[in-house]
Amino acid sequence: MSVLSFTLGVFGTSILAAFLGALTGLGGGVVIVPVLCILFKMNIHYAIGASLVSVIATSSGAAASYVREGYSNIRIGMFLEVATTLGALLGAYLTAKVSGNWIGVIFGVVLLYSAWASLRKPSTGTKSPRPDSLAMRLNLRGSYPVEGSKEEYVAQHVPAGFGIMFVAGTLSGLLGIGSGAVKVLAMDQVMKLPFKVSTTTSNFMIGVTAAASAGVYLGHGYILPGLSMPVMLGVLAGALVGSRILVNADVKALRLVFSIVIVALGVEMISNGLTGRL
Amino acid sequence: MFYREDQRLETAMGRMLQIGVTVAALVVLVGGALYLSQFTGPIPDYQRFHGAPAAYESVHGVLLGVGRFDSGSLIALGILLLIVTPTCRVISGVVGFSILRDRFYAAVSVIVLIILVLSFCTRR
């Protein structure tokens, strides 16, 4: 195989992975890493490096359209980024210490969790009984548009949310993914923020979190230009098309099919890791 | 009033991200086209880990390579621009919250910025 056909193969695969990632809300990184490892027999550290670059691209590329809708909250985002960037530093540091096989096993577990999380119904934003005093002091509140009017919200359980964000950052740095599923878990399920606010603010945070890991990855030589190029451009293209279609498509059946693919990839990563083939 | 000013800051941040990612993608695209036209040999060994060439690990090395029209360096420059983009958003947070006289969140933004700068100081 020549460099050209290899590059085009990686490019096409990245488009498809990001397209499916956008439709299901999982993001491209969680799909592209196992595909590069299993299908293209790539070293997991190189795959993680290329994936992380593409994660920054999609997060930044999607931000403008999210901002226009007026759901994201910059204060909550910035505050929680302290946790995610610190976690990312720890995760990226661990990636250099932990063997590729163990990273594969952890990756597989995260894939299985993601498949389960994508099928779970979003919480309907249960009204909190009383405002959280710490959240009020930290000004972790805002309003978002609901049918023409503004609905107010205040964050709950701030320390727990902050802690889970640290874990989300660690996973992002360790596995080269956005770990949006864990970020949304922290904001939607624990901090009880409205679902739309959680997903859009999470997207905002993913880019900053990944940038913290990327600094470490660059210093360790995980980011290969020749490999990152088709992955980044492919994921960016796939995510843009995927998010356009998402607006007016019924993705229920597709989501189920995709979850099965994710489970298969997860099982494959775990078995490859346990048998020492990564 | 309070929220409307937040909204303006957010819009500015969103636009900045969009411009950053577009410029970065274009640089990577040009570098990629150059890379494919220069590289005709067999695929590099991606199965075993060797680490990226040392020239791509520092801004200085990347800029030197771009001066020589090295395709890998041009792609690396695009990737650097991409990484700098979210960092600019955090800087705009420092400036924006200072203008809004929100000292607490200006300080939070500075902390995030320090963590980001620290991440670039790590070496193998």
Side-chain angles (χ1 to χ4, degrees):
Chain A
M1 206 178 356
S2 72
V3 171
L4 180 65
S5 55
F6 175 82
T7 304
L8 286 178
V10 172
F11 178 68
T13 311
S14 303
I15 293 180
L16 195 65
F19 179 73
L20 290 171
L23 282 187
T24 51
L26 284 177
V30 85
V31 191
I32 197 70
V33 173
V35 169
L36 288 178
C37 288
I38 295 166
L39 224 62
F40 291 87
K41 304 268 174 261
M42 208 169 279
N43 176 280
I44 194 163
H45 283 106
Y46 288 154
I48 286 175
S51 163
L52 191 83
V53 169
S54 73
V55 164
I56 303 177
T58 37
S59 160
S60 304
S65 59
Y66 281 145
V67 162
R68 219 176 304 125
E69 292 170 10
Y71 290 108
S72 58
N73 186 311
I74 37 171
R75 282 195 174 76
I76 293 176
M78 195 65 86
F79 178 74
L80 295 175
E81 274 162 17
V82 175
T84 61
T85 49
L86 281 176
L89 283 188
L90 173 68
Y93 169 80
L94 285 176
T95 295
K97 303 284 166 199
V98 178
S99 83
N101 289 311
W102 274 109
I103 295 174
V105 172
I106 299 167
F107 209 112
V109 173
V110 170
L111 281 169
L112 295 182
Y113 168 76
S114 303
W116 176 74
S118 76
L119 288 176
R120 193 188 49 199
K121 279 202 180 80
S123 84
T124 44
T126 40
K127 274 278 171 190
S128 47
R130 60 197 159 78
D132 186 292
S133 67
L134 183 59
M136 292 301 280
R137 238 183 306 154
L138 296 176
N139 206 359
L140 297 174
R141 60 197 166 117
S143 65
Y144 71 112
V146 181
E147 290 156 11
S149 67
K150 290 261 173 187
E151 186 118 344
E152 306 264 329
Y153 59 85
V154 183
Q156 303 288 308
H157 311 296
V158 176
F162 197 82
I164 297 176
M165 280 298 173
F166 181 80
V167 175
T170 308
L171 286 175
S172 170
L174 182 65
L175 306 176
I177 57 174
S179 66
V182 183
K183 288 191 174 82
V184 172
L185 169 86
M187 285 192 278
D188 172 59
Q189 303 280 317
V190 177
M191 299 177 80
K192 303 284 179 201
L193 295 169
F195 190 67
K196 267 280 195 179
V197 175
S198 303
T199 50
T200 52
T201 307
S202 150
N203 173 75
F204 241 149
M205 297 170 58
I206 284 170
V208 174
T209 310
S213 313
V216 181
Y217 281 20
L218 274 179
H220 284 79
Y222 296 166
I223 299 177
L224 293 182
L227 182 62
S228 303
M229 178 265 292
V231 175
M232 174 200 158
L233 295 177
V235 166
L236 199 54
L240 286 179
V241 176
S243 57
R244 287 269 154 80
I245 289 177
L246 181 62
V247 183
N248 42 20
D250 179 29
V251 290
K252 209 179 255 174
L254 195 68
R255 195 174 277 229
L256 190 67
V257 172
F258 187 58
S259 298
I260 295 167
V261 174
I262 293 284
V263 169
L265 287 174
V267 171
E268 187 74 13
M269 286 298 271
I270 292 172
S271 80
N272 278 0
L274 290 179
T275 52
R277 277 180 288 160
L278 287 173
Chain B
M1 187 59 202
F2 183 68
Y3 294 131
R4 203 189 313 149
E5 281 179 340
D6 274 22
Q7 184 71 34
R8 271 175 50 199
L9 179 57
E10 238 165 290
T11 309
M13 284 176 169
R15 193 157 298 154
M16 178 184 295
L17 290 175
Q18 204 175 30
I19 294 168
V21 74
T22 308
V23 172
L26 284 176
V27 173
V28 169
L29 193 66
V30 172
L34 200 62
Y35 170 79
L36 289 177
S37 68
Q38 285 176 351
F39 252 84
T40 45
I43 309 158
D45 177 17
Y46 290 138
Q47 281 191 32
R48 262 165 309 167
F49 184 77
H50 310 283
Y56 300 144
E57 285 180 20
S58 71
V59 177
H60 182 70
V62 168
L63 290 179
L64 277 180
V66 170
R68 282 185 281 107
F69 284 105
D70 170 48
S71 58
S73 300
L74 206 55
I75 298 172
L77 176 70
I79 293 172
L80 281 178
L81 288 172
L82 190 69
I83 297 171
V84 165
T85 302
T87 312
C88 286
R89 181 171 87 72
V90 177
I91 294 172
S92 77
V94 176
V95 176
F97 285 124
S98 302
I99 293 171
L100 294 177
R101 296 186 186 282
D102 188 334
R103 256 190 248 154
F104 179 76
Y105 275 95
V108 168
S109 307
V110 169
I111 292 170
V112 175
L113 187 62
I114 290 171
I115 298 169
L116 283 177
V117 171
L118 278 179
S119 79
F120 286 98
C121 301
T122 56
R123 280 285 166 268
R124 233 187 298 199

